[in-house]
Amino acid sequence: MKTKILIAGIGGVGGYFGGLLAKHFENNSQVEICFFARSQHLQEIKNHGLKIISGENIIISKPKIASDNASEIGPVDFIILATKSFDLEQALQQLKPCITAETIVLPLLNGVDSKDRINAAYPGNLVLDGCVYIVSRLTKPGVIENVGNIQTMYFGSNGVANERVLLLEQLFLAAGATATLSNNSEAIIWEKFIFISPTATATSYFNTSIGALLTNNEQFLFLNALIEEVKLIAKAKHISVAEDITEKTLNKLKALPFEATSSMHTDFINKKVKNELNALCAYVVNQGVNYNVSTPQYSKALAVLENK
């Protein structure tokens, strides 16, 4: 029986992992990989394939179908959602022709509310938790460049591991992806959120790099306060995270190049109309209200960033 996988959002994350799948299963009659992409990026993929650059290694991936029309792709077994968080609802509407009652959805978006938002649109479908650690970018149409030394995916649904979910893990591993099916996926998602949310908020608020955050005392204290506030939200939601999560988070930041920054900060620099402020900053403030948890530094940052 054929397995059909759709990757929606062929940027740094979707392009990398989707590209590995498409390359490995290009001539496999039992596994069909499809890309949902747009504009010049789509045309480059159709004409020349998707180029993935990882150091000295270059691969060219050619999906079975690359299209901006979900009806052309048709029903699929799995959807790997790697759009931006602010495009999620629009993507779910556009992908309606691909989604049946049996379609399993794996979101690989920044933030921790993707699963709830997908379930709101498709309450009968199995939606997995998912997160990725990777430094990968769409550098120009048709080209993904992975510049980091880590490209790891975690996914699961807190104990739900039916045959089809296990199959997805096997397909990722066969394609050479570092993918782990976890029994504690919710905690892993939140561990990343505790890393990315304060980082995105602080770099955007101070309009500075990660290295500068760590070396400027005022900014460092603000960053630490953000980490503590989001940890309180996790605790209020009964999410079990590591006792040393603050130290782990800071160590991850210290391992990055001095001039590295967050994608949200980059969007602010580039005056993008859309950004991830709702998913990475406003979400914490709103959850603080819901759970009666004080988030003064997040609230301060949000008030400024909403007017940038």
Side-chain angles (χ1 to χ4, degrees):
M1 185 176 175
K2 184 186 290 184
T3 298
K4 193 171 179 181
I5 302 176
L6 169 63
I7 294 86
I10 313 299
V13 172
Y16 177 79
F17 288 100
L20 292 182
L21 289 169
K23 178 66 175 178
H24 184 76
F25 294 108
E26 184 175 345
N27 299 310
N28 191 307
S29 62
Q30 298 304 306
V31 180
E32 188 173 292
I33 308 300
C34 306
F35 288 177
F36 186 78
R38 298 186 181 91
S39 306
Q40 191 179 350
H41 190 36
L42 172 61
Q43 290 307 312
E44 285 294 322
I45 293 170
K46 281 185 169 184
N47 294 338
H48 307 293
L50 178 69
K51 180 186 288 187
I52 301 171
I53 304 170
S54 295
E56 300 296 317
N57 186 35
I58 297 176
I59 67 171
I60 305 294
S61 297
K62 295 179 179 178
K64 183 73 173 180
I65 302 172
S67 179
D68 58 3
N69 182 354
S71 296
E72 183 181 346
I73 296 168
V76 301
D77 298 288
F78 299 96
I79 294 180
I80 314 301
L81 265 176
T83 61
K84 290 286 191 178
S85 62
F86 47 76
D87 286 331
L88 179 56
E89 277 73 21
Q90 181 184 20
L92 291 172
Q93 183 61 35
Q94 291 174 330
L95 296 174
K96 199 170 183 179
C98 302
I99 302 174
T100 72
E102 300 301 315
T103 302
I104 295 176
V105 184
L106 170 57
L108 299 176
L109 287 68
N110 287 333
V112 289
D113 62 346
S114 302
K115 186 174 179 178
D116 290 339
R117 291 162 64 189
I118 297 166
N119 275 327
Y122 297 96
N125 287 76
L126 175 58
V127 182
L128 304 175
D129 296 305
C131 82
V132 168
Y133 288 94
I134 190 169
V135 183
S136 183
R137 294 281 185 272
L138 172 64
T139 54
K140 63 181 180 179
V143 180
I144 303 294
E145 188 166 359
N146 173 30
V147 298
N149 57 6
I150 183 171
Q151 43 275 323
T152 303
M153 176 198 302
Y154 297 93
F155 70 98
S157 190
N158 277 7
V160 176
N162 62 34
E163 288 183 5
R164 297 179 66 216
V165 177
L166 290 167
L167 171 63
L168 183 61
E169 181 189 36
Q170 292 166 11
L171 296 176
F172 275 127
L173 293 175
T178 307
T180 301
L181 179 58
S182 171
N183 291 324
N184 194 24
S185 53
E186 190 175 46
I188 291 171
I189 303 304
W190 270 85
E191 184 170 309
K192 180 179 179 182
F193 189 67
I194 292 169
F195 165 75
I196 197 168
S197 170
T199 305
T201 300
T203 52
S204 301
Y205 178 70
F206 289 110
N207 189 27
T208 195
S209 70
I210 290 169
L213 279 181
L214 297 175
T215 53
N216 179 294
N217 189 56
E218 177 194 353
Q219 295 176 9
F220 182 73
L221 290 174
F222 189 86
L223 174 67
N224 267 273
L226 294 175
I227 293 171
E228 293 307 312
E229 288 177 13
V230 74
K231 280 167 59 180
L232 289 174
I233 298 296
K235 184 177 180 180
K237 293 171 73 70
H238 303 291
I239 309 295
S240 176
V241 296
E243 290 291 329
D244 61 344
I245 188 64
T246 298
E247 183 183 355
K248 289 172 71 173
T249 299
L250 292 174
N251 285 339
K252 287 176 187 174
L253 290 171
K254 289 172 184 175
L256 295 172
F258 186 93
E259 292 302 327
T261 191
S262 65
S263 60
M264 187 171 88
H265 179 217
T266 301
D267 286 343
F268 273 110
I269 291 172
N270 294 328
K271 307 293 184 184
K272 292 286 185 71
V273 175
K274 294 181 178 180
N275 57 53
E276 295 180 303
L277 186 63
N278 280 338
L280 298 181
C281 182
Y283 175 83
V284 177
V285 175
N286 293 335
Q287 292 297 296
V289 172
N290 291 344
Y291 287 91
N292 197 29
V293 173
S294 178
T295 58
Q297 303 305 337
Y298 266 100
S299 298
K300 180 180 178 181
L302 180 61
V304 170
L305 293 172
E306 281 181 326
N307 294 307
K308 272 201 174 186

